[in-house]
Amino acid sequence: MTATPQQLADVLRPVKHVLLDFDGPVCSVFAGLPAPEVARRLREDLLAAGEQAPAGAEGASDPPALLRLISDARPDLAVSTDAALAALEAEAVRAASPTPGGESVLHACARSGRLVSVVSNKAGTATEAYLAEHSLNGFVAGVFGRTPGDPSSMKANPRLLLEAMDAAGTGPEYFIFIGDAARDVEAGEAASIPTIGYANKPGKDAKLAAAGAVVIVDSMELTSDALT
Ligand SMILES: [Mg+2]
């Protein structure tokens, strides 16, 4: 199911602007500070502020899902909860593990004259901190993280991709998006941008294909080779 180098090269040929999901294609954000621990600390922050966790929050182990849940139940807490999560994400990225080949894709884009923007459900501040820490900020034209206090901006909503496209001032025909979740493919589709599915775990290839990914890759190195 994984694309051949030829298929990948064909998909990438017209591309002038690569949109990259962050958690997955660039690094594993929660490699050192696990997501369930981040969710637990987010709940703790809420209690420390004298608030009660809404129904369903106790069992939530996925930080963005928890942010959504709290913001839906208590819109008045959306901004502060988002800020608390952004701080935890900033801590998490310091212990994140780089994706093999992720950096090579950024370098390959620079060498082949393609612009890169990072489009992430994580906080833009945490994403930028990771890129700076790894000396990658010079390879990225723009970072489009979730809108602070507005979890509805997160993919599968195409909003962040549309913002990236707007900033570039070019149409979707020159873009490709690389993401590792079905919601990335859905966001791409809604923005009329084809998505390369990065299947970094067993079983993801079928999910990404079913969501409509144009091709599937199981390594970022393969993508970087096809870009050059
Ligand atoms: Mg991802």
Side-chain angles (χ1 to χ4, degrees):
M1 209 177 233
T2 302
T4 64
Q6 188 57 49
Q7 286 170 326
L8 201 49
D10 288 344
V11 165
L12 289 168
R13 194 162 300 114
V15 170
K16 293 189 165 73
H17 206 130
V18 175
L19 301 182
L20 261 189
D21 172 35
F22 178 59
D23 192 5
V26 178
C27 67
S28 182
V29 170
F30 298 117
L33 181 62
E37 169 66 8
V38 169
R40 192 188 65 74
R41 282 165 60 176
L42 193 60
R43 276 190 297 268
E44 235 172 50
D45 287 346
L46 198 65
L47 299 178
E51 299 292 349
Q52 224 140 35
E58 204 41 57
S61 60
D62 177 50
L66 181 56
L67 171 64
R68 227 180 231 128
L69 194 145
I70 295 171
S71 304
D72 285 352
R74 290 284 306 275
D76 57 313
L77 295 178
V79 169
S80 60
T81 306
D82 191 305
L85 179 55
L88 288 165
E89 287 168 340
E91 188 181 334
V93 297
R94 287 198 289 274
S97 73
T99 299
E103 246 187 83
S104 312
V105 165
L106 292 176
H107 295 156
C109 286
R111 275 201 305 276
S112 61
R114 295 177 171 100
L115 289 175
V116 177
S117 293
V118 175
V119 180
S120 174
N121 283 356
K122 304 288 177 291
T125 46
T127 307
E128 279 162 5
Y130 176 91
L131 295 172
E133 174 72 27
H134 292 259
S135 305
L136 296 173
N137 38 356
F139 294 93
V140 173
V143 171
F144 300 84
R146 69 170 181 269
T147 307
D150 183 4
S152 75
S153 63
M154 294 194 288
K155 301 166 285 185
N157 191 315
R159 197 192 305 172
L160 302 173
L161 278 79
L162 295 172
E163 280 177 17
M165 204 153 57
D166 256 11
T170 38
E173 64 274 26
Y174 298 114
F175 281 81
I176 195 94
F177 183 33
I178 305 175
D180 70 326
R183 64 174 171 271
D184 293 318
V185 183
E186 290 158 17
E189 202 139 89
S192 304
I193 297 172
T195 301
I196 296 175
Y198 171 42
N200 52 359
K201 284 191 188 107
K204 265 198 186 179
D205 52 351
K207 282 183 196 155
L208 292 164
V214 281
V215 288
I216 308 285
V217 295
D218 59 5
S219 104
M220 289 300 283
E221 273 117 353
L222 203 69
T223 312
S224 120
D225 291 347
L227 282 160
T228 44

